[in-house]
Amino acid sequence: NPQAIIFDLDGVITDTAHLHFLAWRQVAGEIGIAIDEAFNDSLKGISRGESLQRILRHGGKTGAFSPEACAQLAERKNGLYVHSLRQLTVNSVLPGIRELLMTLWEERIPVGLASVSLNAPAILQALDLSACFDFCANAALISRSKPDPEIFLAACSGLGVDPKQCIGIEDAQAGIDAINACGMLSVGIGTGLNGAGLQLPATEFLTWPCLSAFWQHDK
Ligand code: G6P
Ligand code: MG
């Protein structure tokens, strides 16, 4: 068995990517930048501050705002986003995920979280999943967004496991690249991900028998 399984949050455990999009679209619109869902895909796994920089670049406004103004824009986005998180309930967990977490607990396989979202603990709590995670990497201690492996390495080190003996699960290209960069086995959820060791179309296909077979085949 793998020593641990490490999950991304947004797009793997719950679908908050759309809520991030709505909040950023509002803030970007207020400074005259239009963004669409396709552009939003490129923000998955990217920290709040770095997301803002990408939006400014997208709108041709790189350098147009002082660091203080940028901090205010990021804070405004987060206020809108946190407000929208109120709609999350225990029913907002993506299909199959709660069952998988229960099985991993029964199998005594440690579970970690590798999300660069500072809101991750509150989200897990809203979904009533906090107790399913043995360790959540603290995004506040991370200085580089995915595709840098830093957040996955922090999760492995917190769990006391060897990355090469772990599986990471992601829905974003930057996340798959981060997992592969630490020598973990990568599982991609969705389509169009390059370099995923195993690719599944949706979370409902993510089961322990499937992960276990993947592990035994590739190790
Ligand atoms: C995740 C999401 C990103 C988001 C980042 C920071 O990686 O995929 O879209 O920007 O977390 O989230 P936060 O809640 O701290 O703004
Ligand atoms: Mg994600």
Side-chain angles (χ1 to χ4, degrees), residues 5-214:
I5 302 205
I6 299 177
F7 291 78
D8 170 45
L9 177 66
D10 296 306
V12 172
I13 291 180
T14 186
D15 184 21
T16 37
H18 189 66
L19 301 179
H20 279 293
F21 169 63
L22 294 177
W24 276 131
R25 188 177 62 178
Q26 169 81 28
V27 172
E30 289 166 5
I31 53 170
I33 299 174
I35 60 169
D36 59 15
E37 294 255 20
F39 173 76
N40 189 56
D41 273 354
S42 71
L43 301 181
K44 290 181 178 172
I46 308 302
S47 71
R48 198 181 305 164
E50 175 64 19
S51 293
L52 175 61
Q53 291 309 317
R54 289 193 185 200
I55 290 167
L56 295 178
R57 200 185 316 143
H58 181 71
K61 294 192 195 253
T62 304
F65 295 90
S66 67
E68 295 74 23
C70 286
Q72 266 171 26
L73 288 169
E75 200 173 312
R76 164 132 176 84
K77 181 268 176 178
N78 192 54
L80 293 167
Y81 178 66
V82 167
H83 183 81
S84 74
L85 289 176
R86 291 188 195 171
Q87 61 190 261
L88 289 187
T89 70
V90 290
N91 297 318
S92 309
V93 181
L94 283 167
I97 295 295
R98 196 182 294 278
E99 295 76 2
L100 173 62
L101 291 169
M102 306 262 288
T103 309
L104 294 176
W105 184 78
E106 283 162 11
E107 297 284 335
R108 301 282 183 269
I109 300 190
V111 172
L113 188 79
S115 170
V116 301
S117 173
L118 294 164
N119 294 297
I123 293 172
L124 286 186
Q125 202 151 11
L127 302 173
D128 194 25
L129 287 180
S130 309
C132 298
F133 288 82
D134 298 285
F135 185 79
C136 298
N138 183 350
L141 302 178
I142 299 303
S143 57
R144 295 179 299 272
S145 282
K146 300 167 187 176
D148 192 285
E150 193 178 14
I151 189 91
F152 280 97
L153 293 174
C156 289
S157 121
L159 288 165
V161 295
D162 173 1
K164 293 187 180 57
Q165 299 299 320
C166 297
I167 294 177
I169 306 175
E170 266 286 353
D171 69 315
Q173 188 62 52
I176 294 291
D177 295 343
I179 294 172
N180 291 341
C182 9
M184 300 168 71
L185 285 194
S186 57
V187 176
I189 304 294
T191 49
L193 296 170
N194 296 316
L198 171 68
Q199 184 146 338
L200 300 170
T203 54
E204 64 197 273
F205 301 98
L206 193 62
T207 61
W208 169 238
C210 162
L211 289 175
S212 171
F214 168 53

